[in-house]
Amino acid sequence: MPALSRIDNQQLRVNLQDAVIKCSERGLYQAAKWAAELLVGLPSEYEPDLGLQQAEQIAQMSNPEASAMQDTVHPQVGLNRDPEEARLEAREMSKFLLAKSYFDCKEFDRCAAVLIPENLPSLPVAARPTPEKGLTGKGKARASVPSSPAPGRAVPGHGMPHLSQRATFLALYAKYLAGEKRKEEESEMILGPADSGTTLNRELGGLAQKLEVLCTERLEGDNAPGASQGWLEFLYGVVLAKEKNDEEAKRWLIRSVGLCPHNWSAWQELAGLVGSVEDLHNIFPSLMRHLMTYIFRVYVSQELYQSTEQVHGQMADLERIYPDSVFLKTQRALLHYHSKDFDEAEAIFSDLIHHDPYRIDSLDHYSNILYVMNLRPKLAFLAQLATSTDKFRPETCCVVGNYYSLKSEHEKAVMYFRRALNLDRTFLSAWTLMGHEYVEMKNTHAAIESYRRAVDINRKDYRAWYGLGQTYEVLEMHYYALYYFQRAASLKPYDPKMWQAVGNCFNKMDRPSEAIKALKRALLAGTCYDQSGAGSLSSGGGDPPVSSGGGLDPEVLHQIALLYERLDDADEASAYMELTVAQEFGGGIDVEADADGDREGDGEEGDDVEVVGRGPAVGVTQTTSRARMWLAKHEFRRGNYTRAMDLANELCHDGVDVEEAKALVRDLRARMETKGTSS
């Protein structure tokens, strides 16, 4: 990505400032905060230092139509470059400011009623007056379009007040939030006896009808430049996504980000509809070439756990443009977290807290990292810091819950995760972490329900799928467990733990051939990295990984050997037992694995991939000692007493299974003496 010039940088700064203002006046506060943080992340040396008079001249030059309305517009409200929209906004300014005040006070129904009175029919709001049939013509016969009615009056033929797009969005968005608020009030206690998780927003149907007609009219009936600003399309996409109409939601959200690229809320909604790398490839050509598109690509790649060299390179390109962006630093930390580079991820989060100790965003992820690293003092400090900043944030509750979980106080941890969900029922981390706690408490029913709610919110959360598999495995329902483990493995194919779980399920289902293929895929995931960007945007996730020379897991090797023994394939079993013993010294042997993991139902065989498992020495372990004992007995059965004696003598010095090894040595000596006497 080429570096931006000084002029481009200043233009980007102006666009972000405009986005902050427009998102704020429409009640999209999270999007406004995100744009403001990105604005501050720009290089400070490019920030213009202009006098007031010069700044006013630049503003008038960039927006001559709206500058004529400057005296009638509230100073904190953004100007509109569409002359018709600017006139409408100026005429309705008093009502808009009143409605916005109600919106800020969370009186959403009252806000909507100011702009769209309740006694009017529930029909879509017209964007512009449309001429009646029979009045259109050419030349002198063309009928004149009636002048716009005063704001608050019904438009003939529509029965709705003629509002600007800004006021229309605020009114309909307030209706949507009012429905969400009532849905929360009607919901039962978290995981209570009557909590089915199916409470609906009753406003969605009416909003969908209004927005469908309104957005379709703008798309098909009026192609003039600036006819649509993208905000209503965003709201329509949100409503469609809530109604599980994902394809239509994608279409309207893509149109929205094309018209208003700095509305981060629209990008987040679109990211939630991207379920795989293939989905991202499918929608990427439809997106405009814009810096926000590159940010979106990195964000979705992180959400899909694509921590590849290509994604890190794209992140580095963006960080050259936004060197101080807190958002990009957080995304890099999460990429390191997904690739299990916990030290680097922890260092980035620690630096973020040092520079902004009052920031609560993403602290739940930081607490997960500290939990995995078993850094209890740091986790205690983080919990205290978050609680002193804002104890009524879901992130804070998850941090405190992780702290109590690390102390093995699982009941207290569940209490805080429930508190997080009372604050926000769609907070993914709380559902997943609460499921983990219920597994520790042996409450499988509550664990399953928690994990199900998590995957309902985000079907890309491999931890919830893996948790479901673990829970059903405890219940010895291996067919269910296999399905969920396979879903987790498809989301994170380069995590060996996922494939080990799949292989163990196949083993318990008495399907050793499939178990061997899955365990070989676990070896492949543990020893390889993706030099060619497999799974990234360029390769589409179809290229097989290449050898990295990493070490093989002796436990997995031993399991594969035992499975070959069940198949009466003594040669393969012996080869894998030898490979298990070789891991004591970091040795390796070529292994072949099915590249696609042979997941059940795939129906396609992948190419064989060679893996050289030469890595660090693991020393003598119980697993390697068991493998050595198996080899000694195997050589004993084959009559190779010398090799069997060497292996048994090594076992006598290992300190593991010494008595059995000594018994084998005595038996071998007797056989060898008998053989020598007879000869």
Side-chain angles (χ1 to χ4, degrees):
M1 183 183 297
L4 296 182
S5 65
R6 184 182 184 89
I7 297 177
D8 292 336
N9 200 290
Q10 291 179 356
Q11 183 60 47
L12 180 58
R13 189 181 300 276
V14 171
N15 292 338
L16 286 172
Q17 290 172 348
D18 184 62
V20 173
I21 295 172
K22 289 185 176 179
C23 289
S24 296
E25 68 186 19
R26 287 163 176 81
L28 301 174
Y29 299 121
Q30 291 298 323
K33 182 179 76 170
W34 184 89
E37 288 182 344
L38 200 66
L39 175 63
V40 175
L42 288 168
S44 57
E45 61 266 21
Y46 290 148
E47 188 167 1
D49 185 12
L50 304 175
L52 179 61
Q53 184 177 1
Q54 188 177 0
E56 290 178 352
Q57 291 175 356
I58 293 175
Q60 291 177 3
M61 290 173 61
S62 61
N63 195 359
E65 297 90 352
S67 62
M69 306 297 299
Q70 188 171 2
D71 295 335
T72 61
V73 177
H74 191 271
Q76 294 184 352
V77 177
L79 298 175
N80 200 306
R81 297 187 179 185
D82 187 338
E84 175 66 17
E85 287 291 322
R87 281 192 291 271
L88 287 173
E89 290 176 5
R91 293 170 62 182
E92 68 195 16
M93 181 57 63
S94 299
K95 283 194 173 184
F96 177 80
L97 292 176
L98 177 62
K100 185 63 168 55
S101 300
Y102 291 151
F103 187 96
D104 293 339
C105 294
K106 300 186 183 302
E107 300 181 34
F108 301 121
D109 285 313
R110 198 176 182 191
C111 168
V114 169
L115 298 171
I116 305 178
E118 291 292 337
N119 58 344
L120 295 177
S122 298
L123 293 175
V125 181
R128 287 185 173 84
T130 55
E132 297 180 2
K133 293 183 179 180
L135 296 181
T136 58
K138 294 183 179 180
K140 298 180 180 180
R142 181 179 300 176
S144 60
V145 178
S147 60
S148 301
R153 286 190 171 184
V155 178
H158 288 273
M160 293 295 292
H162 185 64
L163 303 173
S164 65
Q165 294 182 50
R166 182 183 65 182
T168 303
F169 176 87
L170 184 67
L172 296 180
Y173 186 49
K175 270 294 181 187
Y176 168 78
L177 292 180
E180 289 292 301
K181 184 178 179 182
R182 279 189 286 272
K183 184 182 77 171
E184 291 295 323
E185 293 169 353
E186 294 170 1
S187 299
E188 299 292 335
M189 183 182 67
I190 301 292
L191 294 186
D195 181 25
S196 61
T198 58
T199 309
L200 300 176
N201 183 342
R202 299 180 182 178
E203 300 290 341
L204 292 180
L207 288 173
Q209 293 177 2
K210 295 177 182 179
L211 288 165
E212 180 183 11
V213 176
L214 181 57
C215 293
T216 304
E217 284 181 354
R218 292 185 181 280
L219 179 64
E220 299 177 355
D222 192 351
N223 295 321
S228 182
Q229 301 170 355
W231 303 98
L232 293 173
E233 287 82 357
F234 155 66
L235 184 57
Y236 189 29
V238 171
V239 171
L240 290 172
K242 287 286 185 179
E243 293 182 332
K244 306 299 182 183
N245 191 350
D246 292 348
E247 292 305 317
E248 279 297 301
K250 285 181 187 178
R251 185 168 74 90
W252 287 105
L253 287 170
I254 289 172
R255 175 168 169 77
S256 174
V257 297
L259 294 168
C260 184
H262 289 99
N263 177 14
W264 181 243
S265 294
W267 290 107
Q268 279 189 307
E269 289 291 336
L270 184 59
L273 299 174
V274 178
S276 65
V277 178
E278 290 74 20
D279 288 346
L280 182 58
H281 277 292
N282 292 335
I283 70 169
F284 200 74
S286 304
L287 300 174
M288 62 185 297
R289 290 182 59 85
H290 195 279
L291 267 178
M292 291 296 298
T293 304
Y294 291 100
I295 295 175
F296 170 76
R297 180 167 62 178
V298 169
Y299 174 72
V300 174
S301 299
Q302 180 273 123
E303 289 285 302
L304 294 172
Y305 316 109
Q306 300 294 306
S307 184
T308 63
E309 290 295 329
Q310 181 177 358
V311 175
H312 280 280
Q314 294 165 355
M315 179 74 73
D317 291 338
L318 290 171
E319 285 176 334
R320 283 192 287 270
I321 299 174
Y322 306 98
D324 300 322
S325 171
V326 176
F327 170 78
L328 292 179
K329 291 179 180 179
T330 302
Q331 297 306 302
R332 182 173 288 281
L334 292 176
L335 286 173
H336 288 300
Y337 172 44
H338 296 325
S339 60
K340 297 188 178 181
D341 187 358
F342 300 123
D343 292 328
E344 186 65 27
E346 194 277 329
I348 295 175
F349 272 116
S350 180
D351 182 68
L352 288 173
I353 287 181
H354 176 74
H355 287 90
D356 189 358
Y358 301 106
R359 184 174 183 266
I360 302 295
D361 298 339
S362 300
L363 285 191
D364 54 315
H365 298 296
Y366 185 30
S367 69
N368 292 339
I369 295 170
L370 297 177
Y371 182 95
V372 173
M373 298 177 70
N374 200 25
L375 297 178
R376 182 170 163 182
K378 277 195 172 183
L379 186 54
F381 168 75
L382 184 66
Q384 185 179 14
L385 178 66
T387 303
S388 62
T389 302
D390 188 352
K391 66 173 63 177
F392 297 109
R393 282 279 296 271
E395 295 90 341
T396 300
C397 296
C398 285
V399 171
V400 178
N402 270 334
Y403 170 70
Y404 281 116
S405 178
L406 192 58
K407 292 179 64 179
S408 298
E409 298 182 24
H410 302 298
E411 292 81 4
K412 283 189 176 180
V414 168
M415 180 183 71
Y416 276 95
F417 293 140
R418 281 178 172 269
R419 184 175 296 178
L421 293 169
N422 284 328
L423 294 168
D424 183 2
R425 282 181 179 253
T426 63
F427 197 70
L428 176 65
S429 293
W431 284 114
T432 305
L433 295 173
M434 190 164 69
H436 296 342
E437 296 308 305
Y438 278 128
V439 169
E440 295 291 333
M441 296 165 62
K442 312 300 182 186
N443 189 344
T444 55
H445 175 75
I448 289 172
E449 187 61 27
S450 299
Y451 289 135
R452 287 191 186 280
R453 297 291 185 87
V455 298
D456 285 342
I457 295 170
N458 184 0
R459 303 189 73 80
K460 300 189 291 287
D461 184 15
Y462 78 95
R463 298 171 302 169
W465 291 110
Y466 184 80
L468 280 169
Q470 281 186 311
T471 309
Y472 278 109
E473 192 174 36
V474 170
L475 297 173
E476 297 185 355
M477 303 173 69
H478 300 301
Y479 283 96
Y480 286 95
L482 176 62
Y483 169 76
Y484 294 120
F485 282 141
Q486 287 176 334
R487 289 297 299 265
S490 67
L491 288 167
K492 206 169 185 189
Y494 299 110
D495 190 337
K497 186 171 68 171
M498 305 295 122
W499 294 107
Q500 282 181 257
V502 173
N504 291 335
C505 265
F506 277 126
N507 187 19
K508 292 175 182 177
M509 295 164 61
D510 197 22
R511 295 165 64 177
S513 298
E514 289 89 342
I516 288 172
K517 291 178 180 179
L519 291 174
K520 284 184 177 181
R521 182 61 188 263
L523 290 177
L524 184 67
T527 60
C528 295
Y529 69 95
D530 185 6
Q531 285 183 338
S532 61
S536 63
L537 295 177
S538 62
S539 66
D543 297 337
V546 298
S547 170
S548 67
L552 299 173
D553 186 349
E555 185 65 36
V556 177
L557 292 169
H558 187 257
Q559 290 180 32
I560 294 174
L562 294 178
L563 288 167
Y564 273 120
E565 185 182 24
R566 287 176 57 186
L567 293 174
D568 296 326
D569 192 342
D571 293 337
E572 285 292 329
S574 175
Y576 276 91
M577 288 296 182
E578 292 280 4
L579 188 53
T580 304
V581 174
Q583 298 311 301
E584 292 180 349
F585 311 101
I589 301 176
D590 291 353
V591 182
E592 289 184 349
D594 189 53
D596 75 345
D598 195 35
R599 293 204 305 273
E600 189 178 46
D602 285 346
E604 296 181 0
E605 293 291 331
D607 297 330
D608 288 339
V609 179
E610 187 181 76
V611 178
V612 180
R614 186 170 298 279
V618 300
V620 177
T621 64
Q622 287 189 353
T623 301
T624 59
S625 294
R626 287 196 298 268
R628 185 176 278 107
M629 177 62 74
W630 188 96
L631 286 170
K633 292 179 179 179
H634 176 66
E635 297 297 339
F636 177 77
R637 287 190 296 269
R638 294 175 59 189
N640 190 352
Y641 297 143
T642 303
R643 169 69 171 155
M645 179 65 75
D646 292 340
L647 291 167
N649 285 328
E650 291 174 2
L651 280 168
C652 292
H653 298 88
D654 287 348
V656 180
D657 296 331
V658 175
E659 295 301 324
E660 187 177 0
K662 288 181 178 179
L664 182 59
V665 168
R666 288 193 295 268
D667 197 0
L668 282 167
R669 284 175 180 171
R671 294 292 182 97
M672 293 172 73
E673 290 174 0
T674 303
K675 184 177 180 181
T677 303
S678 61
S679 62

